[in-house]
Amino acid sequence: MQNTNFVSTMSTCGQKEADKVPEPTLRRLPWYLSNIKLMKERGEHFVSSTQISKEINIDASQIAKDLSYVNISGRTRVGYNIDALIDVLEEFLGFTNMHKAFLFGVGSLGGALLRDSGLHHFGLEIVAAFDINPDLVGKDLNGIPIFHSSEFEAKMKEYDVNIGVLTVPINIAQEITDKMVDGGIKAVWNFTPFRIRVPENIVVQNTSLYAHLAVMFNRLNFNEIK
Amino acid sequence: MQNTNFVSTMSTCGQKEADKVPEPTLRRLPWYLSNIKLMKERGEHFVSSTQISKEINIDASQIAKDLSYVNISGRTRVGYNIDALIDVLEEFLGFTNMHKAFLFGVGSLGGALLRDSGLHHFGLEIVAAFDINPDLVGKDLNGIPIFHSSEFEAKMKEYDVNIGVLTVPINIAQEITDKMVDGGIKAVWNFTPFRIRVPENIVVQNTSLYAHLAVMFNRLNFNEIK
């Protein structure tokens, strides 16, 4: 049942969205998008991959290849229409469709994400959160209700959700993931530093701030002593 | 001047920390760390790469190779002492040394990060934030003072900081980055979807939540229709 809006989403987005786009491409496209938005602010109407290349120091042929996944064609010597490219990129990246999500674990990071209204501008709406802390259950944060974890199955029937944001302590990360998947969650945005296991058809996106910190600290140390 | 504590850090961490560790290794090590912590909770005293492998579904030889960057040796048939491995990994990853940082841009995400005390447990202490919003300047958030952006150079002299967290709007991301680097910041943790340019000796760690969302949405769509 919760698949309905995704199927209908597809029919409006063009056939290209069905392609398995390489992850590096998907990570670069938002860079192009933010750059193109700035060019638009500066009053530009058309943009070529060569122009984007100069701005962000990525090979123009790579940019053209990445943009070939998106359903838009540029004109020789003129480039892409900026307004059209912004619209198509935002739609392609899923930022214009609101994807509803539940958040699990209203600790320090979970609470921070509930307060980050910015996610909303990029297509993610956290509609409810779950925790077992009696000081939190029944309250709301930034207008988002916090339910007891035991209410998850019931709330899955009430809300049209297929994404779960995981911000629980590592010792229950797997257990909560299993419950999410059993309840019908199709994608887990995992903020824990724990490597969760899921069935093959479930999407996992790992965003460990702590792993990124580790990389940054190491590079910083390396620079300091080289 | 702000290099002093990094140099002294190095001398206590063993020569291995100076190696340019591959980024995939640095991203996997926190997974091992969180798993090993759980094993310790379960009462284990020793752990082998084979055991870690079973838990997190990564090849044991890869784990052994990753751990070879860390200054610890296991014993044949017994494995690594868990307590020692936890200590060495946390130190190696930089989580036990407090790294001071400034945050630039107290918007929705910036405010959320100021409230996330969890970063503290992984070695990052945001000691001050900068913004130009008169409703924010002079206040503090979660005990962290917010200064006017024009005070940055003065505060660099006051605090011992070499990391800048970038959470400004994309249209000023490059300008603020340039100011940070001019002021002596050595590493930029970039949360904007903008690809910033920095001199070669400056570390950039990109953590675009929105790029991660784009990957997750695409994979979800792909699964729904395949």
Side-chain angles (χ1 to χ4, degrees), chain A residues 2-3 6-7 9-10 13 17-23 26-27 30-35 37-38 41 54-58 92-95 97 99 108-109 111-113 115-119 122-124 162-164 170-172 186-195 197 200-226, chain B residues 2-3 6-7 9-10 13 17-23 26-27 30-35 37-38 41 54-58 92-95 97 99 108-109 111-113 115-119 122-124 162-164 170-172 186-195 197 200-226:
Chain A
Q2 63 268 31
N3 302 358
F6 273 91
V7 174
T9 296
M10 284 309 309
C13 286
E17 192 160 24
D19 296 348
K20 182 105 183 183
V21 185
E23 184 158 335
L26 285 169
R27 288 176 183 269
W31 285 340
Y32 309 157
L33 176 61
S34 60
N35 247 106
K37 282 182 175 172
L38 288 191
E41 273 184 32
K54 277 179 196 150
E55 296 269 337
I56 63 178
N57 205 21
I58 290 180
F92 183 81
L93 292 169
F95 295 161
N97 276 296
H99 301 78
S108 176
L109 179 60
L113 289 172
R115 287 190 190 90
D116 179 13
S117 324
L119 296 172
F122 291 87
L124 191 80
N162 54 14
I163 295 174
I170 53 168
N171 60 332
I172 56 167
K186 300 297 181 199
V188 182
W189 195 5
N190 176 26
F191 280 86
T192 78
F194 191 79
R195 190 171 156 89
R197 288 173 303 258
E200 209 191 338
N201 61 328
I202 303 295
V203 176
V204 172
Q205 176 63 47
N206 291 307
T207 301
S208 173
L209 300 184
Y210 314 125
H212 289 195
L213 273 180
V215 175
M216 184 170 69
F217 293 157
N218 183 275
R219 297 302 182 239
L220 194 49
N221 270 354
F222 184 80
N223 278 354
E224 295 295 339
I225 59 137
K226 80 180 172 189
Chain B
Q2 63 269 32
N3 302 359
F6 273 91
V7 175
T9 295
M10 287 307 309
C13 288
E17 192 161 23
D19 296 348
K20 181 107 182 182
V21 184
E23 185 158 332
L26 285 169
R27 289 176 183 268
W31 285 341
Y32 309 157
L33 176 61
S34 60
N35 247 105
K37 281 182 176 172
L38 288 190
E41 272 184 32
K54 278 181 196 151
E55 295 269 339
I56 63 178
N57 204 20
I58 290 179
F92 183 81
L93 292 169
F95 296 161
N97 275 296
H99 301 78
S108 177
L109 178 61
L113 289 173
R115 288 190 190 91
D116 179 12
S117 325
L119 296 172
F122 291 86
L124 191 81
N162 53 13
I163 295 174
I170 53 168
N171 60 334
I172 56 167
K186 300 297 181 199
V188 182
W189 195 5
N190 175 26
F191 280 85
T192 78
F194 191 80
R195 190 170 154 90
R197 289 173 302 259
E200 207 191 340
N201 62 326
I202 303 296
V203 176
V204 172
Q205 175 63 48
N206 291 307
T207 300
S208 172
L209 299 184
Y210 314 124
H212 288 195
L213 273 179
V215 175
M216 185 170 68
F217 294 156
N218 183 275
R219 297 302 181 240
L220 194 49
N221 270 354
F222 184 80
N223 278 355
E224 294 295 338
I225 58 137
K226 78 178 173 192

Side-chain angles (χ1 to χ4, degrees), chain A residues 1-55:
Chain A
M1 199 180 72
Q2 63 268 31
N3 302 358
T4 323
N5 70 339
F6 273 91
V7 174
S8 65
T9 296
M10 284 309 309
S11 61
T12 63
C13 286
Q15 72 281 11
K16 285 263 184 174
E17 192 160 24
D19 296 348
K20 182 105 183 183
V21 185
E23 184 158 335
T25 295
L26 285 169
R27 288 176 183 269
R28 281 188 296 262
L29 289 174
W31 285 340
Y32 309 157
L33 176 61
S34 60
N35 247 106
I36 296 161
K37 282 182 175 172
L38 288 191
M39 291 182 197
K40 184 187 161 157
E41 273 184 32
R42 294 201 304 253
E44 306 280 345
H45 296 287
F46 289 91
V47 62
S48 66
S49 41
T50 315
Q51 277 171 289
I52 304 175
S53 170
K54 277 179 196 150
E55 296 269 337

Side-chain angles (χ1 to χ4, degrees), chain A residues 1-201:
Chain A
M1 199 180 72
Q2 63 268 31
N3 302 358
T4 323
N5 70 339
F6 273 91
V7 174
S8 65
T9 296
M10 284 309 309
S11 61
T12 63
C13 286
Q15 72 281 11
K16 285 263 184 174
E17 192 160 24
D19 296 348
K20 182 105 183 183
V21 185
E23 184 158 335
T25 295
L26 285 169
R27 288 176 183 269
R28 281 188 296 262
L29 289 174
W31 285 340
Y32 309 157
L33 176 61
S34 60
N35 247 106
I36 296 161
K37 282 182 175 172
L38 288 191
M39 291 182 197
K40 184 187 161 157
E41 273 184 32
R42 294 201 304 253
E44 306 280 345
H45 296 287
F46 289 91
V47 62
S48 66
S49 41
T50 315
Q51 277 171 289
I52 304 175
S53 170
K54 277 179 196 150
E55 296 269 337
I56 63 178
N57 205 21
I58 290 180
D59 205 55
S61 63
Q62 178 68 65
I63 294 172
K65 199 179 163 195
D66 287 340
L67 289 177
S68 73
Y69 285 99
V70 183
N71 233 351
I72 192 166
S73 43
R75 284 192 288 155
T76 317
R77 272 193 297 256
V78 178
Y80 306 96
N81 175 294
I82 280 195
D83 289 327
L85 187 54
I86 290 174
D87 287 351
V88 166
L89 272 175
E90 287 191 328
E91 192 174 2
F92 183 81
L93 292 169
F95 295 161
T96 49
N97 276 296
M98 206 45 76
H99 301 78
K100 291 184 186 169
F102 282 156
L103 179 137
F104 298 80
V106 190
S108 176
L109 179 60
L113 289 172
L114 292 182
R115 287 190 190 90
D116 179 13
S117 324
L119 296 172
H120 210 271
H121 298 295
F122 291 87
L124 191 80
E125 186 188 5
I126 301 175
V127 291
F130 297 90
D131 206 292
I132 52 166
N133 181 345
D135 294 339
L136 295 169
V137 172
K139 306 258 167 60
D140 69 69
L141 215 163
N142 193 19
I144 301 162
I146 303 169
F147 301 116
H148 192 276
S149 299
S150 62
E151 296 179 80
F152 162 58
E153 284 86 354
K155 296 299 174 189
M156 275 299 279
K157 297 190 180 81
E158 190 178 325
Y159 292 85
D160 185 29
V161 163
N162 54 14
I163 295 174
V165 182
L166 188 67
T167 48
V168 298
I170 53 168
N171 60 332
I172 56 167
Q174 187 60 52
E175 177 194 336
I176 298 294
T177 300
D178 294 342
K179 275 194 185 152
M180 283 162 65
V181 172
D182 287 346
I185 289 290
K186 300 297 181 199
V188 182
W189 195 5
N190 176 26
F191 280 86
T192 78
F194 191 79
R195 190 171 156 89
I196 53 172
R197 288 173 303 258
V198 296
E200 209 191 338
N201 61 328

Side-chain angles (χ1 to χ4, degrees), chain B residues 2-195:
Chain B
Q2 63 269 32
N3 302 359
T4 323
N5 69 338
F6 273 91
V7 175
S8 65
T9 295
M10 287 307 309
S11 62
T12 62
C13 288
Q15 72 282 9
K16 284 263 183 171
E17 192 161 23
D19 296 348
K20 181 107 182 182
V21 184
E23 185 158 332
T25 295
L26 285 169
R27 289 176 183 268
R28 282 189 294 265
L29 289 174
W31 285 341
Y32 309 157
L33 176 61
S34 60
N35 247 105
I36 295 160
K37 281 182 176 172
L38 288 190
M39 291 182 197
K40 183 186 162 159
E41 272 184 32
R42 295 202 302 255
E44 305 281 343
H45 295 289
F46 289 90
V47 61
S48 66
S49 41
T50 315
Q51 277 172 289
I52 303 174
S53 171
K54 278 181 196 151
E55 295 269 339
I56 63 178
N57 204 20
I58 290 179
D59 204 56
S61 62
Q62 178 68 65
I63 295 173
K65 199 178 163 195
D66 288 340
L67 289 177
S68 74
Y69 285 98
V70 183
N71 233 352
I72 192 166
S73 43
R75 283 192 287 154
T76 318
R77 274 193 296 258
V78 179
Y80 306 97
N81 175 293
I82 280 195
D83 289 326
L85 187 54
I86 290 174
D87 288 350
V88 166
L89 272 174
E90 287 191 327
E91 192 173 2
F92 183 81
L93 292 169
F95 296 161
T96 48
N97 275 296
M98 206 48 73
H99 301 78
K100 290 184 186 169
F102 282 156
L103 179 138
F104 299 79
V106 190
S108 177
L109 178 61
L113 289 173
L114 292 183
R115 288 190 190 91
D116 179 12
S117 325
L119 296 172
H120 209 271
H121 298 295
F122 291 86
L124 191 81
E125 185 187 6
I126 301 176
V127 291
F130 297 90
D131 206 293
I132 54 165
N133 182 344
D135 295 338
L136 295 170
V137 172
K139 307 254 167 61
D140 69 67
L141 215 164
N142 193 20
I144 300 162
I146 303 170
F147 301 116
H148 192 277
S149 299
S150 62
E151 297 179 79
F152 162 59
E153 284 86 356
K155 295 300 174 187
M156 275 299 278
K157 296 191 182 82
E158 190 177 324
Y159 292 84
D160 185 29
V161 162
N162 53 13
I163 295 174
V165 182
L166 187 69
T167 49
V168 298
I170 53 168
N171 60 334
I172 56 167
Q174 186 60 52
E175 176 194 335
I176 298 293
T177 301
D178 294 344
K179 275 194 185 150
M180 281 159 69
V181 172
D182 286 347
I185 290 290
K186 300 297 181 199
V188 182
W189 195 5
N190 175 26
F191 280 85
T192 78
F194 191 80
R195 190 170 154 90

